[in-house]
Amino acid sequence: LDAADSLAARGVSARVIDVHTLKPLDEQAVLRAATECGAIVTVEEHSILGGLAGAVCETLCTSQPTPVERVGVNDTFGESGEPDEILEKYGITADAVVNAVDRVLKRK
């Protein structure tokens, strides 16, 4: 939500969808967002492999190819610590989301 606010201040409208389950994935919401926005950024507090990003990409590649950027833990082992410190270490911050939006919009 902080990233959406930062983007709005720059005149970029962003939709935020709370995907609370991967199975079943709300594929209609994903496809609707892809149609209306033309690009997707996924954000997850764990590995970007085998999670939300993968499920979204699988849905899009079979029905509606759309540029996607992923924010989350890259293929590495996690660590323990204070939540804010861990999110910062793995680049799961509002700034990282804003940067991902900038990258994905260039690919639209």
Side-chain angles (χ1 to χ4, degrees), residues 69-71 96 98-108:
E69 283 288 327
R70 305 171 299 170
V71 175
V98 169
N99 291 335
V101 169
D102 290 339
R103 287 191 308 273
V104 81
L105 289 178
K106 290 178 184 174
R107 295 175 36 220
K108 273 180 71 172

Side-chain angles (χ1 to χ4, degrees), residues 29-92:
V30 171
L31 294 170
R32 203 168 32 253
T35 297
E36 295 172 6
C37 300
I40 302 275
V41 173
T42 61
V43 182
E44 47 199 320
E45 294 177 334
H46 53 81
S47 177
I48 58 174
L49 303 175
L52 175 63
V56 167
C57 288
E58 287 174 13
T59 297
L60 294 174
C61 78
T62 59
S63 300
Q64 184 174 341
T66 304
V68 175
E69 283 288 327
R70 305 171 299 170
V71 175
V73 178
N74 288 307
D75 193 18
T76 187
F77 291 105
E79 297 180 26
S80 298
E82 294 299 316
D84 289 341
E85 292 174 356
I86 296 298
L87 293 173
E88 182 71 35
K89 175 181 175 80
Y90 292 108
I92 307 170

